[in-house]
Amino acid sequence: MGKHTILLKCNCKNMNILEKITQHKSAFSKSERKVAEVILANPQSAIHSSIATLAKMSDVSEPTVNRFCRRLDTKGFPDFKLHLAQSLANGTPYVNRHVDEHDGPDEYTTKIFESTMASLEVARQSVCVNTVNRVVDLLTQAQRISFFGLGASASVAHDALNKFFRFNVPVVYFEDILMQRMSCMNCGSGDVVVLISHTGRTKSLVEIAQIAKTNDATVVGITSANSPLAQECTYVLSLEVPEDTDMYMPMASRIAQLTLIDVLATGFTLRRGNKFRENLKRVKDTLRGSRFEKRGS
Amino acid sequence: MGKHTILLKCNCKNMNILEKITQHKSAFSKSERKVAEVILANPQSAIHSSIATLAKMSDVSEPTVNRFCRRLDTKGFPDFKLHLAQSLANGTPYVNRHVDEHDGPDEYTTKIFESTMASLEVARQSVCVNTVNRVVDLLTQAQRISFFGLGASASVAHDALNKFFRFNVPVVYFEDILMQRMSCMNCGSGDVVVLISHTGRTKSLVEIAQIAKTNDATVVGITSANSPLAQECTYVLSLEVPEDTDMYMPMASRIAQLTLIDVLATGFTLRRGNKFRENLKRVKDTLRGSRFEKRGS
DNA sequence: TAAATAATGTTAAAAAATTACATTTTTCTT
DNA sequence: AAGAAAAATGTAATTTTTTAACATTATTTA
């Protein structure tokens, strides 16, 4: 790796630096990884250590620690500590509290709402804005956009369909896996295929990614980093969401995905500019007819 | 003031240091106050300055700045900066901030995530727990449960289907409005029909409520209070969600609805007891086969 | 007003971080 | 597989930053 290579995968300002370290661990060199481990093991103590102490603890030289910091797009060790402190400070008001067997309606309602919010906060910090921007770019230029997901993620894909459909963009969505495959086989270079999967381990979706790729489509994954699916994607929008509290279905991750789709859609309209948004308003107005009017309007 | 007097009024660890500076401004000495002013004027820049820079800006000597830090119960200047950084990070509880035309990806991403969280918080506070409890009761006793919604709310209904389907309960969902009507015409007194609509003003959904009601079904509305739909329902789970930031689709309200469905599902399983949940786990395990295993498991 | 005390500054020492460069390790090429 | 190139890591010196010790100045009070 070059002398001053900053980790390129992402250097978003809003991104929690701990997330950043975790996500890019594979991109670190051997010694840098040692530093990463030590910091992740006890970030709280790291912010109170000098570079010398940290170097000794990680069993590397001081400049290595310094280089580690720079790689994370900070100005140096003190600056890195500042960032780290800020990450730790986000004393997440909402905590991921698990529902307990003996909880009454009051408790479980609160817990579920709060842990959903907590997950969203975590997700927000793990999203790489640069990638968001690049994906929005792609979407605006796509000749056709496909959204695919399976199981719980299918509804997210469906949601994406609804959103982008209103933009009057050629957009495709299938629930059926065979249809998804067939659709991907007909892909061309103008196609953007967005695949949604929390774990990124669903075999058939990984296959679809491969099919789309061999047909020159750009494959965007909304999935967890370093998963098999992520490996097959051209771009990965990774969402780290805490282990699901929900015992039956991945709730938190789906909410995060939905929100991310919303972000993409918003980016899309912003990129398209004013006139486009006016059109959109007209589409919305069309729906009025099927509604009871509010009194006074 | 003594040599090493620490400000006594409050030295809570968790207290925002900016607050602390403001509150204790009167207790500072003349020079220290100068430092305080400069820091308060632009805390963001303060955390990136050296003690020398800050001293010059405040027009005091460096040790004065250092003493200022110690007075605030920090170990020294670097430690003070750490605290300050954390205070700045902590700020901004979630507010409903609207996306602006000129927002970059950084801004709109943050805004959307944060306003989603804000909406969830509002929604949480508006949910009536007693009604939740009663509805859970109803659902556990129902002979058949139907979930209907239109447009954006359709996906919420779909989600509900997925959740309750796993419980091995007779559950029904149709996207098509005619199918919904027909289904409601065949309702009996053991039926619970859950209707989802943000505004509660969609004509056809109100009609469905009426049909279900005349056929002795119990009608539960997840909608806004006092809406035409709410009027037709036996029970209303009202979700007050702030005006949508989203220009094209009701995003926040849908997230709130999904979360509420999750609450209902959770209540449902808790009511059903232990054995039931074990069954559920088995259903979940069945899905394993279609996945790539995580290494190590 | 003079002594006492607190506040502030000056200078020097210590600590910490960074740079420049040397050495080792890894990777790639032929 | 040997050797060249590139990358990674470390060593030592330099620079920056912070802190301590002490001197000076302002402020209070008896």
Side-chain angles (χ1 to χ4, degrees), chain A residues 121 159 166 201 254 292, chain B residues 94 159 201 248 254 292:
Chain A
E121 175 60 29
D159 190 71
R166 295 205 186 189
R201 298 177 179 285
R254 208 160 68 269
F292 287 111
Chain B
Y94 309 116
D159 191 73
R201 299 179 179 285
Y248 12 92
R254 208 158 69 268
F292 288 110

Side-chain angles (χ1 to χ4, degrees), chain B residues 82-101:
Chain B
L82 245 45
H83 280 261
L84 188 55
Q86 296 201 317
S87 299
L88 293 175
N90 247 345
T92 9
Y94 309 116
V95 205
N96 214 335
R97 297 186 298 153
H98 288 251
V99 173
D100 178 73
E101 193 176 342

Side-chain angles (χ1 to χ4, degrees), chain A residues 150 152-153 195-202 205 222-225 227 229 239-244 249-254 256-257, chain B residues 291:
Chain A
L150 293 170
S153 302
L195 299 177
I196 305 163
S197 163
H198 173 41
T199 59
R201 298 177 179 285
T202 313
L205 210 66
I222 296 183
T223 185
S224 100
S227 63
L229 177 58
L239 278 175
E240 297 306 321
V241 174
E243 200 52 41
D244 266 304
M249 275 185 94
M251 164 75 180
S253 60
R254 208 160 68 269
Q257 288 164 357
Chain B
R291 299 243 165 94

Side-chain angles (χ1 to χ4, degrees), chain A residues 50-51 63 66 70 77:
Chain A
S50 72
I51 197 169
N66 194 282
R70 293 233 229 272
F77 185 69

Side-chain angles (χ1 to χ4, degrees), chain A residues 117-138:
Chain A
M117 288 186 272
S119 305
L120 271 178
E121 175 60 29
V122 174
R124 198 203 95 213
Q125 284 176 7
S126 77
V127 170
C128 170
V129 176
N130 292 335
T131 312
V132 167
N133 200 25
R134 233 172 291 147
V135 170
V136 168
D137 254 344
L138 273 174

Side-chain angles (χ1 to χ4, degrees), chain A residues 13-21 87-88 90 125-126:
Chain A
K13 277 276 160 73
N14 76 330
M15 192 171 176
N16 185 305
I17 205 147
L18 283 171
E19 283 296 331
K20 215 157 149 182
I21 296 174
S87 299
L88 294 175
N90 264 341
Q125 284 176 7
S126 77

